[in-house]
Amino acid sequence: MNFAENLKALREKNAMTQEQLAEKMEVSRQTVSKWESGASFPEMEKLVQLTELFGCTMDGMLKGNMLQANRDEAKVYDEHGNWVARTGAAATCICILSLAAQMLGEYISPSLLGESGILFLLCALIGALLWIRLGMASSHFRKKHPYVEPFYTEEQKEAFHHKYMSFIITGVGILIAALIVVAAIGTVWQQKDARMELVAEILFFILVAAGVTPIVYIALQASKYNVEGYNADNAWDMSEEGKENGRRIGKACGIILLIAVICCVMIHELTGSSARVAGIPLVIGGILCGVASMILNRRKD
């Protein structure tokens, strides 16, 4: 590719019009148009200014292939979005199954696995660490790729829409089936005892995990296809107001979760409650974090 094609590719990648680029370069729009059509060539001073503006090398701008670079970035973005969807779904599934694992542990060894809550804590820890890793990786990716040229075609979006509906319907269907199955077990099982209740509860959480997981997965996939939203969010996050907004929400959520953890420890130590009961403040804390984020978010779309 030549300079004219690369300049146009870089400008479009950064969502800039010819007028906006001309204003930054302190030239007329006609001058930028001539650069992109190959009718004229900028002076060395302007070339250096362009490389600094777009964060590329002189060789890359003059002899590179910025269109191919955009395609490579689109591939990286798509792969990252798929990884986020898989990881988020797996983390959610593990967190839900931690409750089933703890119930089974309490039945097998009430004194060891039941009172310690080790199975619940271990599974919940794995799920939480996966979410933390996902958040850190996504934050790093956003900083490295602040803008991605929208590349999904209407055909691809339409095909995904059909897939989206199928996943949502399947997930909701499994969740409804979970209630039906548990009710059926209670009806069919003639003698209601601890074993029957255990089987019903464990099966319920397994089915809930099976229903929620595809919903989380397809919801994260939907976010991937919204490239325009990704770019808008990055533009907001990198602005001074956006950074201050993020710090404000982060402090509030940090305080809420710290109080929730303290409450969990106090409930467990002072009352001797099971891990399921002691973990209730964490659930409430997570809900409050979501509420606080919505209240404190000052972004105006």
Side-chain angles (χ1 to χ4, degrees), residues 189-267:
W189 205 303
Q190 298 297 324
Q191 183 179 0
K192 292 187 177 181
D193 54 18
R195 189 175 60 172
M196 183 273 287
E197 293 180 358
L198 174 68
V199 171
E201 289 180 350
I202 290 178
L203 185 57
F204 173 75
F205 283 111
I206 290 175
L207 289 174
V208 167
V212 171
T213 298
I215 293 176
V216 173
Y217 174 81
I218 205 66
L220 292 173
Q221 281 281 334
S223 297
K224 179 193 75 171
Y225 278 87
N226 186 14
V227 183
E228 293 81 1
Y230 169 90
N231 292 331
D233 289 341
N234 274 348
W236 161 255
D237 291 339
M238 290 190 296
S239 67
E240 288 302 319
E241 188 178 0
K243 291 178 181 178
E244 178 60 30
N245 191 70
R247 287 191 289 267
R248 181 171 54 252
I249 294 175
K251 289 178 181 178
C253 290
I255 293 173
I256 291 172
L257 290 178
L258 178 60
I259 294 174
V261 171
I262 293 174
C263 291
C264 287
V265 174
M266 291 181 64
I267 291 174

Side-chain angles (χ1 to χ4, degrees), residues 149-206:
E149 186 72 22
F151 61 94
Y152 291 114
T153 63
E154 290 302 319
E155 290 76 13
Q156 288 175 313
K157 291 181 179 180
E158 185 64 24
F160 171 76
H161 180 67
H162 292 293
K163 182 179 179 181
Y164 177 86
M165 290 190 296
S166 298
F167 271 64
I168 294 295
I169 292 172
T170 300
V172 172
I174 294 175
L175 291 176
I176 295 174
L179 299 174
I180 296 174
V181 169
V182 171
I185 290 177
T187 302
V188 175
W189 205 303
Q190 298 297 324
Q191 183 179 0
K192 292 187 177 181
D193 54 18
R195 189 175 60 172
M196 183 273 287
E197 293 180 358
L198 174 68
V199 171
E201 289 180 350
I202 290 178
L203 185 57
F204 173 75
F205 283 111
I206 290 175

